[in-house]
Amino acid sequence: MTVIVAGKLIQKSESLSELARQTLTYIDGGPQWLAWALPNPMVCYEVADETTLLAEVQQGLHASPMALLPGLGLWVSPVKLMSLGSANLRTLGQAETGDTSAAVVQQTQRIMADHHLVDAQQLCSTSEFLQDLGVAAAPVFQVLDFNDRVALHALAAVALGQDGDNPAALRQEAAAFAVQQARTVPEFCDYYQVYLAHSKKMNALGGTAATRGQLCSQAVQTLLPLAFGAMDCPQLPDRLPSPDEVEQCLRNWLARGHKLGFSRLSQAVLQMVTQTIFTTETGPEARRLFDLYLSTAQAFLSGNRLKKSRLGQDGASLTFTLQNATQQAVLHVSADRLLSLCKFGSWVAPDAASGLPSSPPTSTPE
């Protein structure tokens, strides 16, 4: 098999970069496949770059985009692994092969945290989280995939619902409400936050569960129809895009008069509840607030450029952040290459002394 990467004929493994060769070792059978393919002249295998080579070798050998590092209990795309850099890959390799020295353990924990990597133990803890909320048996949670568990882990990590006289009961109320509204796990995460945020916003934490449920149901019923017109998202080419390509896609979309929308209705509802003055408005007044929020978001996107980017653990999704002194937007590129708005609202830079923002974060499942 002739292997060509970025127009370059690969005649020996050393023709690949050191980083690509390192990453290939994390694909079970990857080095062996390359050793088989290089001397075989019968088939030509051509890819655009080393990232694509690694992704296609993983998918081709295992029918899955995710490699398993059993020693670490880590499912991760080789594309994500490659983004960590050679030094971090060497450290993960030491940990994977059983090095339990304090230095390696500490460095591995830092790498996992810095690059937002979630291991099997953390993913399994989401089952306990759902049990504590009293909704583990709900149908929406019976077929969880990797990204569903990542979203639930992120939601649990935010530690919402600490207010009121009985925070545990409040969280269970929020979960029961979210289960009624949601048809997917990301929607559950959105509606769970909607219930907690709107109940607090309406000063209803000291009231009854029935009052809170009615307030939140009315808010959702009002906002959902308004969000139908905020779902337009541009499609990127069917490959992992660069930040420059995402920036250009956004600029072209806005220049043609389109508004960058959300990937799901529940995201729009959550943003209206947490980022605007919306309370109990209905009819034209609710429409005015929604349109004002969306137009303000578009103006912000037009006047600011992408600043930060993060590749998901799946090696296919991307998150981008835009900021100025007082506002922040988060954009998401899905594995299906749709560019959407995740959140937009006020933002305060971390305090120089504490390193913490002045307002609590919200979870944004990807």
Side-chain angles (χ1 to χ4, degrees), residues 66-295:
M66 307 287 278
L68 173 63
L69 281 60
L72 291 170
L74 181 66
W75 282 275
V76 59
S77 164
V79 178
K80 177 66 173 181
L81 284 173
M82 193 175 184
S83 73
L84 304 184
S86 291
N88 286 337
L89 282 181
R90 282 193 291 270
T91 299
L92 289 185
Q94 291 175 280
E96 175 66 16
T97 54
D99 188 335
T100 57
S101 65
V104 169
V105 170
Q106 184 177 17
Q107 290 171 16
T108 300
Q109 291 173 342
R110 174 191 59 78
I111 293 167
M112 298 279 284
D114 289 350
H115 295 276
H116 303 271
L117 296 173
V118 183
D119 63 24
Q121 184 177 359
Q122 291 170 305
L123 293 176
C124 286
S125 70
T126 59
S127 296
E128 183 179 351
F129 174 62
L130 294 175
Q131 288 170 0
D132 290 343
L133 294 178
V135 294
V140 72
F141 301 122
Q142 299 315 300
V143 187
L144 297 178
D145 64 19
F146 175 81
N147 287 324
D148 288 337
R149 288 197 177 272
V150 169
L152 288 170
H153 176 265
L155 181 66
V158 175
L160 299 170
Q162 306 300 320
D163 304 299
D165 296 331
N166 192 339
L170 179 65
R171 292 192 294 272
Q172 290 184 343
E173 284 176 30
F177 174 82
V179 161
Q180 290 179 337
Q181 300 291 332
R183 297 299 179 266
T184 67
V185 171
E187 288 180 348
F188 169 84
C189 295
D190 292 336
Y191 287 122
Y192 177 81
Q193 295 177 86
V194 164
Y195 188 94
L196 294 174
H198 199 58
S199 295
K200 185 174 183 178
K201 190 178 189 179
M202 298 300 297
N203 296 314
L205 296 180
T208 65
T211 297
R212 289 188 288 271
Q214 183 177 12
L215 286 169
C216 294
S217 294
Q218 288 174 345
V220 169
Q221 290 169 10
T222 296
L223 293 172
L224 278 178
L226 301 179
F228 289 149
M231 305 296 291
D232 287 340
C233 303
Q235 179 81 53
L236 286 149
D238 190 20
R239 55 181 169 75
L240 190 66
S242 68
D244 286 344
E245 288 174 317
V246 175
E247 181 82 58
Q248 190 60 52
C249 176
L250 175 63
R251 299 298 149 219
N252 291 342
W253 184 256
L254 296 175
R256 291 198 295 268
H258 298 300
K259 293 181 178 179
L260 186 66
F262 297 92
S263 65
R264 55 185 182 270
L265 292 170
S266 57
Q267 270 187 331
V269 173
L270 176 60
Q271 292 305 295
M272 282 295 295
V273 167
T274 58
Q275 300 296 337
T276 77
I277 62 172
F278 171 83
T279 53
T280 59
E281 292 82 2
T282 58
E285 183 59 18
R287 164 60 68 184
R288 185 189 69 80
L289 290 176
F290 190 92
D291 290 345
L292 176 62
Y293 173 76
L294 196 60
S295 62

Side-chain angles (χ1 to χ4, degrees), residues 318-334:
L318 291 155
T319 302
F320 295 89
T321 302
L322 302 85
Q323 293 169 344
N324 62 19
T326 60
Q327 293 177 311
Q328 180 186 77
V330 177
L331 309 185
H332 184 250
V333 176
S334 69

